[in-house]
Amino acid sequence: MNALWTEPVDYDGLRAAVTASRIETFARRYYALFNERRFDEAETLVHPEAIFIYPDAQEEFIGRAGYRELARRWEEAFPDADLSITDVTVVGDSACTEWIGTGTHLGTLDIPGFPTIAATLRTVQLPMCETLRVVEGLIVESRLEFDAEELRRRLGF
């Protein structure tokens, strides 16, 4: 018997740690692709039937086309948008990502569950949280959370 191995190895714990690390790396890559405006590449990380959930939204955004439409809407409103990750917590197959969104409101803001707002020319920062559920290397669900009233205030409404 090898004297170096006096305690049993927790293989399940090791597998969970490796999986959590992979999901965190995946989430960070997803946001980096958004920041780099590499939407074609980012949408390959989305399952064709993924669902994107926004607070108070009445419309559904599904799959890669849904991702592309949401990215287009954010980029149209904030062409210089930057997402700066402050924390990633992985639980099971989900990554809860906390980040600060920064951008100058130069175009129409038309996002789900939020009134349409014409450009205000204001630069804003807003903390947001998005939970990404990742299955077999693809996003199958995205749940975005942010304080809509605070965003309205920061835009002058």
Side-chain angles (χ1 to χ4, degrees), residues 3 8-9 12 17 27 39-40 45 50 53 63-64 66 74 88 95 103 107 116 118 122 124 132 136-137 141 152:
V9 176
D12 289 336
F39 301 131
D40 289 341
L45 304 179
I53 302 164
R64 293 175 176 153
W74 280 105
V88 178
T116 300
R122 291 182 179 216
V124 295
L132 302 172
E136 295 180 8
E141 181 179 286
R152 288 175 49 89

Side-chain angles (χ1 to χ4, degrees), residues 6 26 31 43 46 67 71 76 83 88-89 93 110 120 144:
T6 57
F26 177 94
Y31 294 109
E43 75 181 34
V46 175
Y67 164 79
E76 180 178 307
L83 311 178
V88 178
T89 303
D93 61 0
D110 180 20
T120 63
L144 183 67

Side-chain angles (χ1 to χ4, degrees), residues 20-117:
S21 177
R22 285 182 179 158
I23 290 173
E24 179 176 349
T25 299
F26 177 94
R28 289 181 182 279
R29 178 172 176 234
Y30 177 70
Y31 294 109
L33 292 171
F34 177 89
N35 285 339
E36 296 165 8
R37 305 301 187 263
R38 293 167 55 193
F39 301 131
D40 289 341
E41 192 173 341
E43 75 181 34
T44 66
L45 304 179
V46 175
H47 189 278
E49 296 175 10
I51 185 164
F52 291 84
I53 302 164
Y54 274 56
D56 303 321
Q58 301 301 314
E59 54 191 318
E60 290 186 347
F61 291 83
I62 305 295
R64 293 175 176 153
Y67 164 79
R68 177 62 78 147
E69 179 62 17
L70 290 167
R72 183 197 66 75
R73 290 182 184 199
W74 280 105
E75 182 187 35
E76 180 178 307
F78 300 96
D80 63 345
D82 182 73
L83 311 178
S84 179
I85 295 173
T86 58
D87 189 41
V88 178
T89 303
V90 177
V91 177
D93 61 0
S94 296
C96 177
T97 60
E98 295 179 31
W99 37 274
I100 305 292
T102 304
T104 308
H105 186 211
L106 299 176
T108 301
L109 178 62
D110 180 20
I111 56 173
F114 195 80
T116 300
I117 298 176

